[in-house]
Amino acid sequence: MKALAVDPRCAHARVLRSGGASPDRGALNNLITLYSKSGRRSDAIRIFQSIPNPNVVSWTCLISTFHDSTLSFHHFLSMLRRPGRLFPNHRTLSALLKTCASLPALSFGIQLHSMAHKLGLSSEPFTASALVSFYCKTSFLNNAQKVFDEMLDRDEVCFSSIIVGMAQNRRPVEAMSYFLEMKRSGVASTTHSISATLRAASEMALVEQCRTLHGHAVRTGLDSDVVVGSALIDGYGRCGLIREARAVFDELETSLIDVGWSTMMSAYAQQGDSKNAIELFAAMQSRGMKPDGYCFLAVLTAFCHAGLSQEAKKWFRAMQEDYNLEPWLEHYTCLITAMGKAGELGPAETVASTMPFKPDAAVWRALLSTSAHHGETDMAWKMRDRLLEINPNDDSAYDKGVGKEGGRSWIEVRGEVHAFSAEDRAHERREEIYDKLGELKGEIEKLGYVPVWNEMLHDVDESHKAEVLWQHSEKLALAFGLLSGVNPCGKPLRIVKNLRICRDCHEAFKYVSRVVEMEIVVRDVNRYHTFLSGSCTCGDSW
């Protein structure tokens, strides 16, 4: 049963009764914190002003009261300017660094780092953890790693800070590496370190890593925690293991908050499974829970992937009219994509042009893809131009000869991750990989495969086009996976792509699934593609 919050006025009355005219300073410091946590900031200031000789703890309590405001900086500077030369302690610096991260206030945070260094506090775990979080939240990851490396004593909070920071900045390899270092160091796991590492593993759809982390959570007794449970649902869902995700969800259903429910809906949505997403939505309502924007985003994403335009329109209207929720840009993008897939290209463009948001690259990319799919060349060129106005290097608009810029693919083989980039020749089995690609190319050509050229491609010599197409990262990962025998007991071969899978790779994978008689799953930046017996679950539109 949740404990009732203490009314700070009752606590204040007790302090006055017991302390008389001169209450204990420690008791007054606690009152500042109590008033702050209850949102009564003016009372917190009044208590602080009643302290005859505030110490660094008193000032820290006041500074923490304004954790989301530059007023915390104002009070800190007032502390430094007062007679008596008070200096901040590790808790003062931690509170200020949290404010710097949330505002953000990079310059002030760097100055605090300098002060911490001069005071000999920068390597102390409490301050160092706050510095790591600050630099991660402001995307100065090298600084965060340097601070972590210089820590004298790393506890679970320190490791959680760097693991969470790397995962939030989409640096999954580093996040998992720090988690392994934490375990080797004998430091205990926390809900934050496990959930962040799960997020990192799911970012790359590393099935075995997610299963290993699940087992670790069970052994440490953290699997029943709501945060870890939601991360497990997300991890399995993003790996395409829907049954495993649902098993975790069913086990924790009674304790999960709305985040866990929307996460499970999103797992269904990734597969275009609108039926189960809607059933879960209804079940959530039957339990008295109010759906939020994330729940509607999951349902609309499912309709988007399934190309169900009329259903998407209906739910989009219901979101506004029945639930009084204002759609986000992401909701509009799902609606536009669903309409585009259904061939409603003109109306979809109208929605994009009249919505209360400036269309971003994702909107124009969706219209480009769907117009190209329906053979509307003029509109495709128009959408291409709008896309390139936003991002001249967008890989969806054209393929640049050397492959999609920054394109990488990953495949997990017996718990080890192998990464490939376009025209990659760094792998130790490169000769076998390219030989396998040549063999596959010959086999699928016999079945009728013809390379899919990007009609907007102008800067690649004809004789070099086929060679370029067959050196894309996803094809290299596919060849390596087949060589490594990652299909035990009929399990799918799984590949992760950090960008959108190109049309030629998509076409080739359909044919390869026939040749090898195997299910091939590719998770690209847009969705899951499951290739089997010559077809893909996306219906050739993504």
Side-chain angles (χ1 to χ4, degrees), residues 4 67 85 96 118 229 234 261 274 284 292 339 408 411 421 488 499:
L4 295 175
H67 61 89
R85 293 182 61 79
L96 288 163
K118 290 176 182 177
D234 182 55
W261 285 76
S274 56
M284 182 181 183
D292 60 10
M339 293 172 67
R408 300 189 75 197
I411 187 167
S421 56
L499 299 174

Side-chain angles (χ1 to χ4, degrees), residues 36 41 62-70 72 95-96 98-100 102-103:
S36 170
R41 291 183 173 181
L62 180 65
I63 289 165
S64 299
T65 297
F66 297 91
H67 61 89
D68 56 354
S69 165
T70 54
S72 63
L96 288 163
K98 286 179 181 177
T99 303
C100 290
S102 64
L103 287 179

Side-chain angles (χ1 to χ4, degrees), residues 225-356:
D225 179 85
V226 172
V227 174
V228 174
S230 296
L232 281 167
I233 295 168
D234 182 55
Y236 280 132
R238 294 177 73 182
C239 287
L241 302 177
I242 302 301
R243 272 189 255 176
E244 287 86 344
R246 187 59 191 254
V248 175
F249 175 85
D250 290 341
E251 189 174 340
L252 297 175
E253 179 183 332
T254 55
S255 60
L256 284 173
I257 56 176
D258 52 358
V259 174
W261 285 76
S262 61
T263 300
M264 189 65 235
M265 286 182 219
S266 295
Y268 285 125
Q270 288 255 353
Q271 307 294 322
D273 187 348
S274 56
K275 178 177 178 292
N276 275 306
I278 292 171
E279 286 181 359
L280 208 59
F281 186 98
M284 182 181 183
Q285 285 188 296
S286 70
R287 286 159 175 75
M289 302 173 73
K290 185 178 179 181
D292 60 10
Y294 291 103
C295 295
F296 275 95
L297 181 60
V299 173
L300 287 170
T301 299
F303 292 137
C304 165
H305 288 331
L308 299 175
S309 172
Q310 296 307 313
E311 288 295 310
K313 291 176 189 175
K314 185 180 96 174
W315 281 75
F316 190 86
R317 284 194 301 269
M319 177 183 180
Q320 298 169 288
E321 297 170 5
D322 300 337
Y323 296 87
N324 296 315
L325 292 172
E326 287 299 318
W328 310 331
L329 175 59
E330 292 82 359
H331 296 111
Y332 277 98
T333 304
C334 288
L335 175 63
I336 291 164
T337 306
M339 293 172 67
K341 285 186 175 182
E344 302 171 24
L345 296 169
E349 184 183 6
T350 299
V351 172
S353 301
T354 58
M355 65 182 179

